[in-house]
Amino acid sequence: MGCAMVPMDAEVFSLATDLRVDDAIKTPDALHLAAALLGEATELWTNDKRLAAAARDRIHILTWGDFDGSRADTTTSRT
């Protein structure tokens, strides 16, 4: 899996604004999620419950609990 760079342009800021208002998440989280969505990421790794709730039904969510207590594979691309 590769990792794409997403330009922080007006499209990202516009989507982040919508996410912030609609899902009551913090600005950095909204920017993170907007960039992941626009960059067509396949998954989002987070332990933040609000961010996970906002991302649900938009992108696959992974949390630390998904790794049954073992360390995550650091070779996997993350967004």
Side-chain angles (χ1 to χ4, degrees):
M1 272 188 277
C3 184
M5 296 297 287
V6 177
M8 297 303 280
D9 58 14
E11 186 177 19
V12 172
F13 283 96
S14 178
L15 179 55
T17 299
D18 292 342
L19 292 167
R20 178 150 166 58
V21 170
D22 295 343
D23 297 294
I25 57 176
K26 296 177 182 178
T27 299
D29 292 336
L31 287 167
H32 187 173
L33 180 54
L37 294 172
L38 292 173
E40 299 178 2
T42 57
E43 60 191 33
L44 180 72
W45 293 21
T46 184
N47 279 320
D48 183 300
K49 291 178 183 174
R50 281 192 185 186
L51 180 54
R56 193 165 286 114
D57 298 327
R58 294 181 171 118
I59 190 170
H60 180 72
I61 303 299
L62 291 169
T63 66
W64 189 251
D66 293 322
F67 299 99
D68 36 44
S70 63
R71 243 187 122 152
D73 178 4
T74 57
T75 62
T76 302
S77 175
R78 293 179 290 227
T79 301

